[in-house]
Amino acid sequence: MLLCIDTGNTNTVFSIWDGARFLATWRASTEHQRTADQYYVWLSTLMKANDLTNVMIDEVVISSTVPRVVFNLRVLCANYFDCRPLVVGKPECMLPVPYRVEAGTRPGPDRLANAAAAFDRHGGNVVVVDFGTATNFDVVGADGAYVGGVIAPGVNLSLEALHAGAAALPHVDISQPEKVIGENTVACIQSGVFWGYTGLIEGMTRRIKDEYGAPMKVIGTGGLAPLFAQGEALFDTIEHDLTMHGLTVIHQYNKENA
């Protein structure tokens, strides 16, 4: 079976793929100082609770936007799964369709995985809106290539910055407010963030479509995508496991073309 690992700036996701479906998915906070042994103790405990063992895993694929964690993840694979992982973004990792961006630019591996997954499930001419530490807009061409995008501050990052930079403003949880005009401080912040990001998504996807010059499907993914899908018709569909599915697509492509 295949272990997919997606390391973001905030969380690291581990999913086990049996070739047809994900058997289990777990999240841990991303900490670059976490050792391979610590990863294994945590992961093996969760696997055991799901009637899984490390001997079932014989392949690993990794996407990481935090380079410092990759070494310990490689050690984890070598010591406990007896394999060498495929790391998206490294020269030895082939993509189903090479990205087309400015020379010298290397897109984030999560964005490459999103492009591969979006094309596999929906075909080309797609915008993926990925809610993470940053809010990414990934543009996938007609042939499945990642062709560029947009990076905006993430929702939770904006909330934390607002709380840290304004002493009188409390930290609040993001939710869809009942009204746009808030009648207390918390409601004002929630309205500003929720409807502000709704406007960001609407405006940015419209501008991307206008500039691209062709009909495009908009896919939402990431933890907050379902929340923002409640307010307006922002997305054509929501994909909860898009990045992880992209890792399976890239891994399979490398197996078939090794």
Side-chain angles (χ1 to χ4, degrees), residues 74-99:
R74 286 186 182 274
V75 175
L76 168 72
C77 297
N79 289 356
Y80 294 103
F81 303 125
D82 192 28
C83 70
R84 181 178 180 179
L86 177 69
V87 182
V88 179
K90 297 297 183 182
E92 64 272 16
C93 178
M94 298 178 290
L95 298 173
V97 183
Y99 52 82

Side-chain angles (χ1 to χ4, degrees), residues 77-186:
C77 297
N79 289 356
Y80 294 103
F81 303 125
D82 192 28
C83 70
R84 181 178 180 179
L86 177 69
V87 182
V88 179
K90 297 297 183 182
E92 64 272 16
C93 178
M94 298 178 290
L95 298 173
V97 183
Y99 52 82
R100 294 194 300 273
V101 294
E102 184 177 294
T105 301
R106 182 173 294 178
D110 55 333
R111 310 186 84 170
L112 299 175
N114 284 346
F119 185 71
D120 183 66
R121 287 181 169 174
H122 303 281
N125 296 340
V126 171
V127 182
V128 177
V129 184
D130 190 352
F131 293 87
T133 305
T135 300
N136 291 334
F137 297 75
D138 303 322
V139 181
V140 184
D143 62 347
Y146 171 83
V147 297
V150 177
I151 300 175
V155 176
N156 288 319
L157 188 63
S158 296
L159 282 169
E160 291 170 7
L162 187 63
H163 173 61
L169 297 181
H171 179 78
V172 302
D173 293 326
I174 180 64
S175 63
Q176 181 179 348
E178 296 181 0
K179 300 187 296 183
V180 174
I181 302 174
E183 296 179 353
N184 57 65
T185 302
V186 170

Side-chain angles (χ1 to χ4, degrees), residues 7-10 30-32 63-71 73 109:
T7 298
N9 290 292
T10 303
T30 298
E31 298 176 4
H32 69 269
S63 163
S64 178
T65 59
V66 186
R68 288 190 293 177
V69 308
V70 175
F71 174 78
L73 290 174

Side-chain angles (χ1 to χ4, degrees), residues 186-201:
V186 170
C188 289
I189 295 173
Q190 288 177 331
S191 180
V193 173
F194 181 86
W195 293 114
Y197 271 87
T198 296
L200 169 70
I201 297 163

